[in-house]
Amino acid sequence: MSSAFLYSAVRTPFGKFNGALADVRPDDLAAAAIGGVLAQTPSLDPAAIDEVVWGNANGAGEENRNVGRMAALLAGLPTSVPGTTVNRLCGSSLDAAIVGARAIETGDAQIVLVGGVESMTRAPWVLPKPSRAFPAGDVAAVSTTLGWRLVNPRMPKEWTVSLGECNEQLQERFGISRERQDEFAVRSHRLAHRAWEDGFYDALVTPVAGLARDEGIRPGTGLDKLAALKPSFRPEGTITAGNASPLSDGASAVLLGGESAAAAIGRDPLARIIGKGAMALDPREFGYAPVEAANRALARAGIGWDRIGAVELNEAFAVQSLACVDAWLKDGLRDPGIVNQRGGAIAIGHPLGASGGRILGTLAAVLKERRERYGVAAICIGVGQGLAVVLENLEVAK
């Protein structure tokens, strides 16, 4: 099989719920991310792109009807470039990258543009359609912003509790204190702010609607402020709005290609995809699913945790992030400090369908900056799943 390589990664800034990107449609956000990749690869003839594979978790509003195809058209790609949309909830754009990489590895494609988008602000309310016309009773509108909706009554009720309740159960299982969670959140904001101040994200982010930086980063966040927040899911719980990722809007795009695609793209690849892994657990344990997903990806790459120099773990909740890192330390991860060295989703934001592409592009950039050879991008996914990808930094591999 051929290898799949990462050539370019660009995302929009991530906006706050009802924030600076509230007026931007998700298909336009996706088109902006695609435009950012095309701007980085001016030698690439867009007609040479074999496929667009796009991730989206919602699909109920303006991103309906195959947002991958819509974004490609809005970005000005030729109508001859096909596009598809995949949905693995929070892991959608990382799944898109895996789908695109497989197409390259099997020889079905040479250049694939992947990514994902979510506008949690613009996610609509929906009305269930009755099985018979003109029902006599009231009908309630259901928010599609986050979590379960229109649940099948045959689904076990213990599986359909809120994402926050799932993670409070995880906290009980592993005994991860509120203090550790708050410390992790403060670190996320501090490192994300420093990354912007260092110019780390300048080449990874394309401005949209006047927003040039991630909107949710709070450099002044301290333990005293977080300690004053009330629990969000249980009266005596540990999870708050401060130690969980916020509702967000944004898009990410990643250009993948085979080794021979370098001439057409006009630049050398940054990294090679050498391992991919998926894992599924009881739906309540979704936050812990990245543990085995990453272990499987490493096994397929033929390396262990002792050789990993950078990890990008999507911070859905501080508690599940800490549970994953604790498990990886037992598996051989050499230093928890290599996780999210440039901040994470608690600070940057988590627009569901876009986060996988964000962590993959960030991982490639961190590997380059730190001159580390191998890194892992991993993400937890609602309803009990996790995904992971292992990258090899080609500059160090030479």
Side-chain angles (χ1 to χ4, degrees), residues 178 182 186 218-230 240 242:
R178 164 80 179 266
D182 287 350
V186 169
R218 300 187 299 275
T221 295
L223 290 175
D224 54 341
K225 292 182 179 180
L226 294 187
L229 297 176
K230 294 181 179 179
T240 71

PDB file of all heavy atoms in Angstrom, residues 178 182 186 218-230 240 242:
ATOM      1  N   ARG A 178     -11.865  17.752  41.646  1.00  0.00           N
ATOM      2  CA  ARG A 178     -12.214  19.053  41.053  1.00  0.00           C
ATOM      3  C   ARG A 178     -10.964  19.917  40.913  1.00  0.00           C
ATOM      4  O   ARG A 178     -10.789  20.611  39.907  1.00  0.00           O
ATOM      5  CB  ARG A 178     -13.258  19.742  41.950  1.00  0.00           C
ATOM      6  CG  ARG A 178     -13.469  21.247  41.732  1.00  0.00           C
ATOM      7  CD  ARG A 178     -14.360  21.564  40.563  1.00  0.00           C
ATOM      8  NE  ARG A 178     -14.537  23.008  40.418  1.00  0.00           N
ATOM      9  CZ  ARG A 178     -15.549  23.709  40.945  1.00  0.00           C
ATOM     10  NH1 ARG A 178     -16.490  23.097  41.658  1.00  0.00           N
ATOM     11  NH2 ARG A 178     -15.647  25.011  40.741  1.00  0.00           N
ATOM     12  N   ASP A 182      -9.600  21.672  37.482  1.00  0.00           N
ATOM     13  CA  ASP A 182      -9.432  23.123  37.352  1.00  0.00           C
ATOM     14  C   ASP A 182      -7.992  23.481  36.985  1.00  0.00           C
ATOM     15  O   ASP A 182      -7.750  24.387  36.174  1.00  0.00           O
ATOM     16  CB  ASP A 182      -9.839  23.816  38.649  1.00  0.00           C
ATOM     17  CG  ASP A 182     -11.349  23.828  38.864  1.00  0.00           C
ATOM     18  OD1 ASP A 182     -12.093  23.475  37.926  1.00  0.00           O
ATOM     19  OD2 ASP A 182     -11.781  24.190  39.976  1.00  0.00           O
ATOM     20  N   VAL A 186      -6.832  25.640  33.671  1.00  0.00           N
ATOM     21  CA  VAL A 186      -5.975  26.830  33.714  1.00  0.00           C
ATOM     22  C   VAL A 186      -4.782  26.654  32.779  1.00  0.00           C
ATOM     23  O   VAL A 186      -4.397  27.574  32.042  1.00  0.00           O
ATOM     24  CB  VAL A 186      -5.507  27.103  35.167  1.00  0.00           C
ATOM     25  CG1 VAL A 186      -4.407  28.160  35.187  1.00  0.00           C
ATOM     26  CG2 VAL A 186      -6.680  27.555  36.018  1.00  0.00           C
ATOM     27  N   ARG A 218      -9.029  32.682  27.714  1.00  0.00           N
ATOM     28  CA  ARG A 218      -9.059  33.645  28.822  1.00  0.00           C
ATOM     29  C   ARG A 218      -7.731  33.570  29.573  1.00  0.00           C
ATOM     30  O   ARG A 218      -7.572  32.775  30.516  1.00  0.00           O
ATOM     31  CB  ARG A 218     -10.224  33.341  29.766  1.00  0.00           C
ATOM     32  CG  ARG A 218     -11.584  33.394  29.087  1.00  0.00           C
ATOM     33  CD  ARG A 218     -12.726  33.260  30.091  1.00  0.00           C
ATOM     34  NE  ARG A 218     -12.683  32.000  30.805  1.00  0.00           N
ATOM     35  CZ  ARG A 218     -13.210  30.859  30.372  1.00  0.00           C
ATOM     36  NH1 ARG A 218     -13.800  30.818  29.184  1.00  0.00           N
ATOM     37  NH2 ARG A 218     -13.143  29.759  31.102  1.00  0.00           N
ATOM     38  N   PRO A 219      -6.755  34.399  29.185  1.00  0.00           N
ATOM     39  CA  PRO A 219      -5.436  34.312  29.830  1.00  0.00           C
ATOM     40  C   PRO A 219      -5.453  34.661  31.305  1.00  0.00           C
ATOM     41  O   PRO A 219      -4.555  34.268  32.054  1.00  0.00           O
ATOM     42  CB  PRO A 219      -4.589  35.303  29.031  1.00  0.00           C
ATOM     43  CG  PRO A 219      -5.571  36.227  28.375  1.00  0.00           C
ATOM     44  CD  PRO A 219      -6.789  35.411  28.107  1.00  0.00           C
ATOM     45  N   GLY A 220      -6.477  35.379  31.738  1.00  0.00           N
ATOM     46  CA  GLY A 220      -6.543  35.751  33.153  1.00  0.00           C
ATOM     47  C   GLY A 220      -7.216  34.723  34.035  1.00  0.00           C
ATOM     48  O   GLY A 220      -7.375  34.941  35.251  1.00  0.00           O
ATOM     49  N   THR A 221      -7.613  33.590  33.469  1.00  0.00           N
ATOM     50  CA  THR A 221      -8.277  32.556  34.254  1.00  0.00           C
ATOM     51  C   THR A 221      -7.324  31.982  35.302  1.00  0.00           C
ATOM     52  O   THR A 221      -6.192  31.615  34.987  1.00  0.00           O
ATOM     53  CB  THR A 221      -8.770  31.422  33.339  1.00  0.00           C
ATOM     54  OG1 THR A 221      -9.772  31.940  32.465  1.00  0.00           O
ATOM     55  CG2 THR A 221      -9.369  30.282  34.150  1.00  0.00           C
ATOM     56  N   GLY A 222      -7.787  31.918  36.518  1.00  0.00           N
ATOM     57  CA  GLY A 222      -6.983  31.365  37.607  1.00  0.00           C
ATOM     58  C   GLY A 222      -7.789  30.368  38.409  1.00  0.00           C
ATOM     59  O   GLY A 222      -9.015  30.250  38.254  1.00  0.00           O
ATOM     60  N   LEU A 223      -7.114  29.653  39.297  1.00  0.00           N
ATOM     61  CA  LEU A 223      -7.799  28.639  40.096  1.00  0.00           C
ATOM     62  C   LEU A 223      -8.871  29.238  40.989  1.00  0.00           C
ATOM     63  O   LEU A 223      -9.904  28.610  41.235  1.00  0.00           O
ATOM     64  CB  LEU A 223      -6.766  27.886  40.950  1.00  0.00           C
ATOM     65  CG  LEU A 223      -5.809  26.970  40.181  1.00  0.00           C
ATOM     66  CD1 LEU A 223      -4.775  26.377  41.126  1.00  0.00           C
ATOM     67  CD2 LEU A 223      -6.583  25.863  39.484  1.00  0.00           C
ATOM     68  N   ASP A 224      -8.658  30.459  41.460  1.00  0.00           N
ATOM     69  CA  ASP A 224      -9.654  31.082  42.328  1.00  0.00           C
ATOM     70  C   ASP A 224     -10.957  31.333  41.578  1.00  0.00           C
ATOM     71  O   ASP A 224     -12.053  31.107  42.105  1.00  0.00           O
ATOM     72  CB  ASP A 224      -9.111  32.381  42.923  1.00  0.00           C
ATOM     73  CG  ASP A 224      -8.608  33.352  41.866  1.00  0.00           C
ATOM     74  OD1 ASP A 224      -8.334  32.918  40.728  1.00  0.00           O
ATOM     75  OD2 ASP A 224      -8.478  34.552  42.175  1.00  0.00           O
ATOM     76  N   LYS A 225     -10.849  31.774  40.328  1.00  0.00           N
ATOM     77  CA  LYS A 225     -12.053  32.024  39.530  1.00  0.00           C
ATOM     78  C   LYS A 225     -12.781  30.731  39.212  1.00  0.00           C
ATOM     79  O   LYS A 225     -14.012  30.654  39.272  1.00  0.00           O
ATOM     80  CB  LYS A 225     -11.678  32.749  38.244  1.00  0.00           C
ATOM     81  CG  LYS A 225     -11.185  34.173  38.447  1.00  0.00           C
ATOM     82  CD  LYS A 225     -10.885  34.852  37.113  1.00  0.00           C
ATOM     83  CE  LYS A 225     -10.414  36.268  37.330  1.00  0.00           C
ATOM     84  NZ  LYS A 225     -10.101  36.959  36.042  1.00  0.00           N
ATOM     85  N   LEU A 226     -12.030  29.703  38.847  1.00  0.00           N
ATOM     86  CA  LEU A 226     -12.671  28.431  38.517  1.00  0.00           C
ATOM     87  C   LEU A 226     -13.296  27.787  39.748  1.00  0.00           C
ATOM     88  O   LEU A 226     -14.352  27.152  39.655  1.00  0.00           O
ATOM     89  CB  LEU A 226     -11.659  27.480  37.874  1.00  0.00           C
ATOM     90  CG  LEU A 226     -11.110  27.892  36.500  1.00  0.00           C
ATOM     91  CD1 LEU A 226     -10.266  26.775  35.911  1.00  0.00           C
ATOM     92  CD2 LEU A 226     -12.238  28.251  35.539  1.00  0.00           C
ATOM     93  N   ALA A 227     -12.652  27.939  40.879  1.00  0.00           N
ATOM     94  CA  ALA A 227     -13.181  27.336  42.107  1.00  0.00           C
ATOM     95  C   ALA A 227     -14.520  27.945  42.506  1.00  0.00           C
ATOM     96  O   ALA A 227     -15.318  27.305  43.206  1.00  0.00           O
ATOM     97  CB  ALA A 227     -12.171  27.493  43.245  1.00  0.00           C
ATOM     98  N   ALA A 228     -14.787  29.167  42.058  1.00  0.00           N
ATOM     99  CA  ALA A 228     -16.036  29.840  42.418  1.00  0.00           C
ATOM    100  C   ALA A 228     -17.217  29.413  41.551  1.00  0.00           C
ATOM    101  O   ALA A 228     -18.367  29.739  41.864  1.00  0.00           O
ATOM    102  CB  ALA A 228     -15.840  31.354  42.302  1.00  0.00           C
ATOM    103  N   LEU A 229     -16.960  28.677  40.482  1.00  0.00           N
ATOM    104  CA  LEU A 229     -18.032  28.254  39.579  1.00  0.00           C
ATOM    105  C   LEU A 229     -18.826  27.100  40.180  1.00  0.00           C
ATOM    106  O   LEU A 229     -18.276  26.208  40.817  1.00  0.00           O
ATOM    107  CB  LEU A 229     -17.459  27.839  38.226  1.00  0.00           C
ATOM    108  CG  LEU A 229     -16.735  28.931  37.432  1.00  0.00           C
ATOM    109  CD1 LEU A 229     -16.144  28.345  36.155  1.00  0.00           C
ATOM    110  CD2 LEU A 229     -17.683  30.073  37.103  1.00  0.00           C
ATOM    111  N   LYS A 230     -20.131  27.107  39.920  1.00  0.00           N
ATOM    112  CA  LYS A 230     -20.998  26.050  40.416  1.00  0.00           C
ATOM    113  C   LYS A 230     -20.941  24.838  39.484  1.00  0.00           C
ATOM    114  O   LYS A 230     -20.785  24.983  38.281  1.00  0.00           O
ATOM    115  CB  LYS A 230     -22.443  26.549  40.516  1.00  0.00           C
ATOM    116  CG  LYS A 230     -22.650  27.642  41.546  1.00  0.00           C
ATOM    117  CD  LYS A 230     -24.111  28.067  41.602  1.00  0.00           C
ATOM    118  CE  LYS A 230     -24.333  29.156  42.650  1.00  0.00           C
ATOM    119  NZ  LYS A 230     -25.756  29.584  42.689  1.00  0.00           N
ATOM    120  N   THR A 240     -17.632  21.828  35.775  1.00  0.00           N
ATOM    121  CA  THR A 240     -18.196  23.173  35.672  1.00  0.00           C
ATOM    122  C   THR A 240     -18.010  23.699  34.259  1.00  0.00           C
ATOM    123  O   THR A 240     -17.353  23.072  33.422  1.00  0.00           O
ATOM    124  CB  THR A 240     -17.498  24.133  36.654  1.00  0.00           C
ATOM    125  OG1 THR A 240     -16.156  24.386  36.178  1.00  0.00           O
ATOM    126  CG2 THR A 240     -17.430  23.561  38.057  1.00  0.00           C
ATOM    127  N   GLY A 242     -16.111  25.916  33.584  1.00  0.00           N
ATOM    128  CA  GLY A 242     -14.707  26.299  33.473  1.00  0.00           C
ATOM    129  C   GLY A 242     -13.755  25.164  33.173  1.00  0.00           C
ATOM    130  O   GLY A 242     -12.659  25.400  32.660  1.00  0.00           O
TER     131      GLY A 242
END
